[in-house]
Amino acid sequence: AQSVTQLGSHVSVSEGALVLLRCNYSSSVPPYLFWYVQYPNQGLQLLLKYTTGATLVKGINGFEAEFKKSETSFHLTKPSAHMSDAAEYFCAVSHSGGSNYKLTFGKGTLLTVNP
Amino acid sequence: ETGVTQSPTHLIKTRGQQVTLRCSSQSGHNTVSWYQQALGQGPQFIFQYYREEENGRGNFPPRFSGLQFPNYSSELNVNALELDDSALYLCASRRDRDVSYEQYFGPGTRLTVT
């Protein structure tokens, strides 16, 4: 069984400050890991993903995340927050199982950016 | 390239009624998944359709059912609606052989059950 824990349901940062959103996962097989962003009244947009290879992955809008197997973590960072980053962020885990690629999501972290 | 579309955008139903939500997958995508996102929660996997058959299901009762059509579009049907079914319903599509494993989400249908 897979599970995702996002530490902190709400993170508040100042504009220009470092953004760090935490995600820990549980998976019995090598995981595929994703970060999605959701703006109000919209669907999910993929920020970045880790499947295999380099453990530091870069995504859109200046975000990046590092897969740390020993810590079972996949934290999302951005060096300098922008007002437009305010949104809800979801970490998700999946693994290949035949043709079934269901995503298991965390409960989300709401990011607010203060001017 | 047309993205994933869903209809309707919003829907209000009464407890006990039935509802059908629709999803058009992104061009070239043959696999469709449905997720339920309750207020303040992450999306939860309902089921996946591939080649017009359900090939994966989450922890949802049988009153949640679906269809996939030859053009890969899909429907989610919910019978005997309950108040707890109020949520945002998201559809996601992908190619079954896409090694990027990315799923493309639609904007969702907001269902309110009163």
Side-chain angles (χ1 to χ4, degrees):
Chain A
Q2 303 165 117
S3 67
V4 175
T5 302
Q6 291 185 239
L7 297 174
S9 59
H10 186 195
V11 170
S12 182
V13 300
S14 299
E15 191 173 19
L18 171 72
V19 175
L20 170 61
L21 304 182
R22 299 179 187 273
C23 172
N24 288 89
Y25 69 91
S26 171
S27 178
S28 57
V29 296
Y32 301 142
L33 296 159
F34 306 81
W35 276 99
Y36 283 86
V37 62
Q38 186 175 39
Y39 297 99
N41 301 314
Q42 294 189 26
L44 301 173
Q45 180 183 10
L46 181 69
L47 279 177
L48 48 79
K49 61 182 181 283
Y50 168 80
T51 53
T52 59
T55 56
L56 181 63
V57 293
K58 296 184 184 298
I60 61 172
N61 301 338
F63 285 93
E64 63 182 37
E66 186 171 11
F67 169 57
K68 292 188 177 180
K69 184 179 178 180
S70 61
E71 298 177 9
T72 61
S73 69
F74 191 57
H75 301 329
L76 181 70
T77 60
K78 181 175 181 177
S80 177
H82 192 272
M83 297 295 290
S84 61
D85 295 327
E88 183 118 35
Y89 291 79
F90 293 95
C91 181
V93 63
S94 177
H95 66 86
S96 69
S99 59
N100 183 348
Y101 292 92
K102 80 164 190 176
L103 290 168
T104 300
F105 287 86
K107 292 187 175 182
T109 298
L110 180 65
L111 175 67
T112 58
V113 182
N114 304 307
Chain B
E1 190 176 68
T2 306
V4 179
T5 60
Q6 293 185 242
S7 63
T9 306
H10 296 89
L11 203 51
I12 300 174
K13 289 286 190 178
T14 302
R15 189 171 50 185
Q17 287 188 316
Q18 177 265 344
V19 69
T20 297
L21 311 182
R22 294 177 175 82
C23 170
S24 291
S25 59
Q26 187 160 321
S27 177
H29 288 188
N30 58 4
T31 302
V32 175
S33 299
W34 286 90
Y35 291 81
Q36 180 195 65
Q37 186 179 12
L39 197 61
Q41 301 294 317
Q44 288 198 318
F45 175 73
I46 303 175
F47 44 53
Q48 175 179 277
Y49 275 81
Y50 171 64
R51 292 186 176 179
E52 302 176 47
E53 291 190 358
E54 182 184 301
N55 76 333
R57 189 176 186 95
N59 189 25
F60 281 82
R63 60 189 185 85
F64 284 78
S65 63
L67 286 171
Q68 186 182 31
F69 300 99
N71 67 353
Y72 306 131
S73 66
S74 177
E75 288 182 354
L76 164 65
N77 299 292
V78 187
N79 293 322
L81 284 168
E82 300 177 359
L83 296 179
D84 285 348
D85 295 333
S86 294
L88 180 68
Y89 288 85
L90 297 164
C91 169
S93 72
R94 55 179 289 276
R95 289 187 193 89
D96 70 304
R97 296 184 186 278
D98 184 352
V99 295
S100 73
Y101 306 106
E102 180 174 349
Q103 297 192 30
Y104 295 78
F105 284 83
T109 294
R110 174 76 61 187
L111 172 65
T112 302
V113 182
T114 62

